[in-house]
Amino acid sequence: MELMGDGARLLNTRQIHEGHGSAGGPSLPATAAGMLPAPRGAEPEGDGRTDAVPALITELPDEETLAMREEAEIAARHRRAADQGDPAAMSALGTLLLRRGDLDGAEPYLRAAVQHGDRAAANNLALLLHQRGYADEAAGWWRIAAVAGSAAAAHALGRHYRERGDEPGAEYWLRQAADAGHALGAYALADLIEHRQEDGAEQWFRLAAEHGHREAAYRLARICADRGENREAEQWYRQSAARRHRRAALRLGTLLEERGETAEAQRWYLTAARDGEARAACALGFLLRDAGDIDQAATWWRRAAQAGDGQAANALGALHAEEGETQTAERWYRTAMEAGDVNGAYNLGLLCAGQGRGTQAEQWYRKAAYAGHREAANALAVLLLQRGDAAGAEPWFSKAAEAGSIDASFNLGILHAGRGENDAARGWYERAAAAGHAEAALQVAIALEREGDHHGAERHLRCAAGGGSPEAAFRLGALLDATRDAGGESADPGGDAAGEEAEEWYERAARQGHRRAQVRLGMRAAKRGDAEHAGHWYRLAAEAGSRNGAFNLGLLLARAGQDAEAAEWWTLAADAGHGRAALRLALLAARRGALAEAQSWCARAIACGPAPVAERAARLRDAVTHELTA
């Protein structure tokens, strides 16, 4: 609700001093201009001319004093004119007194002015009465001013009707103000239309925004963003944020961060955070953390958390948990929970579970799960399943999966597979795989490969391997190898592209510690005659516990004449149940003449198999026995 009339347009003293006042404005007196004649008796400088520049005054009244003096002069001038019956002066004086807060002094002058038909005085009298609590009488004067064409009065009257719940009356008068180009009226009309969920709000938000209304610009930006018109949304966010609209600055920062423009996003987050926007302080903390400035990140998270931002409190909790400060972490998680962030309870559950406090973890998981936290429901189900309570776990898995938890869908697949319910398991695996779960995609691929659908299996293996599954990468390599072998190694006239890709997948799996992939890479290198790389991969696999890796490494060493080290790796393989390694050890012992040892290793080879190895070991055993009894 705005003041109208001359009193609302007093010249600004700072503008006058800076030379930005209007040309027709009142001029300052000589003393205010800062110049006085030279003191009597002072000697002239230079050539003795008497028109030398006068000395500057050393002390001038400050701007506030000048403004007060000027306003007092204007008030006195208006009062003299008003007392002589000038309606315009009455209106101007009443407005000036109203701005000062002198309601008692302003009212008689405004009432006198409205008796002479002054539109501005009617609006300002209504504002005075509204401040006194006489809303109905104020509305009467606003109506008079609005009917006389005052857009400001129409806006005020529209707001009055809306406060009273009379939305049709409010819309009528707000539309009068908006049609006259009144920015506040246009915004209030748009807000009313949007509140009623009717079409047509956007054009009035736009009108108000174009006149510099920062909230209108923000609301218009939200409308554009909801339609996916991010370019125009950004323009309006910028206009609103430039006028210190902190939510607009937050949204602009978010938009820029999503676009990868983190430096500018950080500046807008900082602007909003300094203006008290807790979410911006939280977002700023995450950007600073990603940039490696943990201390500053913690500072902004703390400020946001103290302002009630649960996400920031959770971030502080996680920060302290990583540093092993579990008590401080728990305190911040509780703060987050008290702020209404259900992640706080979930994180408390994770913290307790990590400390082996299963009972407390279950309590926090349940609290979060009952509040709808899907990952807490999944974690609770896992905890129950680990205790052997499959019946209690399944409903929570189902609840989490239906809420969109990919892990819960995968876990339901495991649960059904463990019961032999393969169709149900397959359904849950497929659901998780469709959402990008790598291990679920691997399970679907295994089932498809078993059914002979190699094309479908390959598609799922690629998804799983791309998602980081080393087993999927190994199986994809093996599938490509099998496809190449089925078509003949020379089927590709342009080179062995399938074989090269297979090796790439083997290597990806091998670098993640997949032992069978390491053995497979060693075999391929050995086939090419690259003993160095073959030994590297065999040794990695053997040291990780692969009996095939140990056996193949032994073969490589034996071919190089290093029988002693070869025997060590064969022993490890044989002890792990590798029949061919046991047979090799039996042959080594027989050559040395250690017939009893050879007989023992033959027995091990027969027990471990496979059948061809067992047959050879039996023949060797018989020969050794014959030698011993000869």
Side-chain angles (χ1 to χ4, degrees):
M1 300 173 188
E2 309 99 308
L3 291 167
M4 292 182 58
D6 295 342
R9 296 192 295 271
L10 295 176
L11 288 176
N12 181 286
T13 307
R14 179 181 298 274
Q15 291 177 332
I16 295 170
H17 277 263
E18 293 175 351
H20 298 306
S22 63
S27 60
L28 292 175
T31 54
M35 306 294 289
L36 285 176
R40 187 175 301 173
E43 291 295 330
E45 296 186 28
D47 56 3
R49 292 171 58 188
T50 58
D51 57 348
V53 177
L56 290 174
I57 190 168
T58 56
E59 292 187 7
L60 288 172
D62 60 27
E63 293 182 0
E64 184 177 353
T65 302
L66 287 173
M68 292 175 61
R69 183 183 302 169
E70 182 181 359
E71 187 172 313
E73 291 174 357
I74 293 172
R77 189 164 60 249
H78 285 322
R79 190 181 299 276
R80 287 193 298 271
D83 290 344
Q84 293 174 9
D86 185 343
M90 296 175 188
S91 177
L93 180 59
T95 300
L96 190 150
L97 294 172
L98 180 60
R99 290 183 66 215
R100 289 180 182 174
D102 184 0
L103 305 189
D104 290 337
E107 185 172 352
Y109 285 105
L110 292 174
R111 286 190 180 277
V114 297
Q115 296 302 319
H116 289 84
D118 191 294
R119 184 180 75 186
N123 179 71
N124 293 337
L125 177 60
L127 178 59
L128 183 151
L129 293 168
H130 189 270
Q131 291 180 17
R132 287 187 183 278
Y134 303 133
D136 291 338
E137 187 179 355
W141 288 110
W142 272 324
R143 180 184 294 276
I144 290 172
V147 169
S150 170
H155 164 244
L157 188 58
R159 288 186 55 186
H160 168 79
Y161 279 120
R162 188 171 181 189
E163 289 169 3
R164 293 299 178 92
D166 183 355
E167 291 190 356
E171 181 180 357
Y172 175 82
W173 288 109
L174 291 175
R175 195 172 293 277
Q176 296 296 315
D179 285 339
H182 192 273
L184 294 176
Y187 170 75
L189 176 61
D191 183 65
L192 175 62
I193 292 171
E194 189 173 76
H195 170 73
R196 290 157 62 171
Q197 299 181 346
E198 296 174 356
D199 295 333
E202 181 178 350
Q203 70 177 88
W204 299 113
F205 279 137
R206 189 176 297 277
L207 175 63
E210 288 170 350
H211 282 78
H213 195 290
R214 66 177 190 175
E215 179 66 21
Y218 171 72
R219 301 274 287 273
L220 179 57
R222 293 292 304 274
I223 291 171
C224 294
D226 289 343
R227 286 202 300 257
E229 298 169 357
N230 289 335
R231 185 179 298 276
E232 185 176 2
E234 180 181 344
Q235 293 173 354
W236 292 114
Y237 280 140
R238 285 186 182 278
Q239 176 174 311
S240 183
R243 294 176 178 271
R244 304 301 293 268
H245 192 291
R246 63 190 192 187
R247 285 177 297 157
L250 168 64
R251 294 273 180 175
L252 178 57
T254 302
L255 191 151
L256 292 166
E257 183 182 1
E258 290 173 351
R259 209 161 63 202
E261 299 176 20
T262 55
E264 188 180 1
Q266 184 172 319
R267 291 197 297 272
W268 286 111
Y269 284 149
L270 181 60
T271 298
R274 284 175 172 168
D275 285 342
E277 179 57 58
R279 291 173 297 172
C282 180
L284 177 60
F286 282 111
L287 279 187
L288 290 167
R289 180 204 63 184
D290 293 343
D293 193 346
I294 301 298
D295 291 339
Q296 278 298 308
T299 297
W300 285 106
W301 280 335
R302 191 172 292 108
R303 182 181 295 192
Q306 290 169 348
D309 190 284
Q311 187 179 7
N314 272 313
L316 282 170
L319 187 63
H320 287 287
E322 289 172 3
E323 296 172 352
E325 300 169 356
T326 54
Q327 290 184 336
T328 306
E330 184 169 340
R331 178 168 61 83
W332 282 114
Y333 287 149
R334 288 180 182 273
T335 299
M337 189 175 61
E338 290 165 2
D341 192 326
V342 70
N343 285 312
Y346 173 60
N347 288 332
L348 279 168
L350 291 175
L351 190 68
C352 293
Q355 295 173 327
R357 296 152 58 191
T359 302
Q360 290 158 300
E362 180 182 347
Q363 292 173 349
W364 290 117
Y365 285 150
R366 283 189 185 276
K367 185 178 183 67
Y370 278 122
H373 196 293
R374 65 190 187 191
E375 298 309 327
N378 178 64
L380 174 60
V382 170
L383 193 64
L384 294 171
L385 192 61
Q386 289 171 343
R387 292 178 183 170
D389 185 4
E394 186 173 357
W396 286 111
F397 276 139
S398 297
K399 185 174 182 178
E402 292 301 332
S405 171
I406 304 172
D407 287 338
S409 296
F410 176 68
N411 290 336
L412 276 171
I414 294 175
L415 192 66
H416 286 288
R419 297 174 183 165
E421 301 166 353
N422 294 330
D423 290 341
R426 174 82 167 270
W428 285 111
Y429 286 145
E430 288 177 346
R431 181 169 176 172
H437 196 288
E439 293 304 317
L442 172 61
Q443 295 302 318
V444 175
I446 291 172
L448 291 170
E449 195 170 8
R450 191 182 300 124
E451 296 168 359
D453 183 358
H454 298 299
H455 179 73
E458 180 182 341
R459 180 166 55 84
H460 280 85
L461 285 173
R462 287 188 182 278
C463 291
S469 169
E471 177 67 18
F474 169 73
R475 286 178 174 270
L476 179 55
L479 183 62
L480 292 170
D481 264 348
T483 303
R484 180 193 61 161
D485 293 342
E489 292 195 14
S490 61
D492 182 6
D496 190 8
E500 291 177 3
E501 187 184 2
E503 186 156 344
E504 289 175 3
W505 288 111
Y506 286 143
E507 186 165 351
R508 181 181 293 197
R511 293 190 183 282
Q512 295 181 74
H514 194 283
R515 295 180 299 178
R516 285 184 295 162
Q518 291 167 343
V519 172
R520 191 66 62 90
L521 279 174
M523 292 171 64
R524 293 172 74 93
K527 187 176 180 180
R528 292 194 298 266
D530 187 350
E532 182 181 351
H533 279 90
H536 167 75
W537 290 115
Y538 286 151
R539 190 175 296 275
L540 284 177
E543 290 173 348
S546 168
R547 63 185 190 180
N548 287 331
F551 174 72
N552 289 349
L553 180 58
L555 286 177
L556 206 63
L557 292 166
R559 288 179 189 136
Q562 302 174 42
D563 286 350
E565 189 178 355
E568 292 176 5
W569 289 109
W570 282 335
T571 300
L572 287 174
D575 288 342
H578 198 287
R580 291 181 66 193
L583 179 57
R584 288 280 178 171
L585 287 167
L587 289 168
L588 280 179
R591 291 192 194 112
R592 293 197 316 268
L595 300 181
E597 184 183 345
Q599 200 173 32
S600 174
W601 283 117
C602 283
R604 179 76 63 86
I606 292 168
C608 293
V613 172
E615 291 175 7
R616 290 182 61 195
R619 290 197 298 271
L620 179 59
R621 181 196 60 186
D622 292 343
V624 168
T625 301
H626 177 74
E627 191 70 25
L628 283 170
T629 57

